[in-house]
Amino acid sequence: MMLNVFFFKATLACYFLGTAFFLFNLWDRKGERDAQGFSFWSQRLAISVTGTGFVTHTIALILQLKISGFVPLTNLHEAISFFSWAIVLAFFWVEIKYRISILGSFILPLAFLFLMSATALPNEVPSLDPTLGNIWLGIHTTLSVLGIVAFAIAFIAGVMYLLQERFLKSKQFSSLYYKLPPLDLLDQWNKKSILLGFPLLTLGIISGAFRAQYSLGSFWAADNAKQVLTLGTWFFYLVVLHGRITIGWRAKKAANLAIIGFVGVLFIFITLA
């Protein structure tokens, strides 16, 4: 077995265990920490296993880079793997900055399911020449996937917002209610994620146009469904961003829009990539 495959499978096992522990933690107790302010054993275990998986995932990506000689984003398998790696990285950034481990209960299942779906896809590296066109391919794919990661965080913040709001309106406070962040913080995560994701998507589209010019001889093809749908997604997030900044869209409306937008992004990412 090649070493990169070994580390990829080790990552899958770690993310599976991390998902199980994080989901267990959802219903375990009220609050994120005990009376002394320490996280519970299930949280510590979930973070430890996920951290181990993130390390093995990073090693697998580096080995893949050494084997192919290109940024490991040349096919859908690699793009999905990179997405899973980046979204787990985002989780650890939030965990360090805010100390809100509940986010892992939403991110880890997503990362694990994406990585599992990657195993069903062929992982053949196409023959690429080190031309400027393929450099644009690496830039385009990296920026686009990072933009999708930001939209995924906005999506998760939107889902958590709707859950928290439902608890408050129904006045039925389960253990999950005490673990979810406040509504204002979730709304801020939503806004900041879209503020980050939109320029990344914009730069991804521009670099993709340059790549198309080098490989196809044209910046734009009106009959290319991927380009048309990507432009539609870009316009959707432009409207959302405009609404948030100038009209004051926020709260439940912003949460719903973030969820709708990410579903559209997933459709394009999975079916047309």
Side-chain angles (χ1 to χ4, degrees), residues 41-53:
W41 68 268
S42 55
Q43 286 178 329
R44 293 195 294 271
L45 204 50
I47 291 173
S48 299
V49 171
T50 303
T52 304

Side-chain angles (χ1 to χ4, degrees), residues 242-260:
H242 174 75
R244 292 216 62 148
I245 294 173
T246 64
I247 304 175
W249 291 352
R250 60 189 302 276
K252 186 176 181 179
K253 184 171 190 174
N256 283 323
L257 287 171
I259 293 170
I260 293 170

Side-chain angles (χ1 to χ4, degrees), residues 164-202:
Q164 187 71 305
E165 190 194 54
R166 185 173 182 181
F167 285 133
L168 287 169
K169 283 188 174 178
S170 65
K171 300 187 187 305
Q172 294 179 354
F173 305 121
S174 69
S175 60
L176 178 58
Y177 165 79
Y178 296 95
K179 296 174 182 174
L180 290 171
L183 291 178
D184 284 347
L185 180 59
L186 291 170
D187 192 51
Q188 282 300 311
W189 283 1
N190 184 336
K191 182 179 180 180
K192 289 179 180 177
S193 298
I194 293 177
L195 278 171
L196 176 64
F198 183 74
L200 287 170
L201 178 64
T202 303

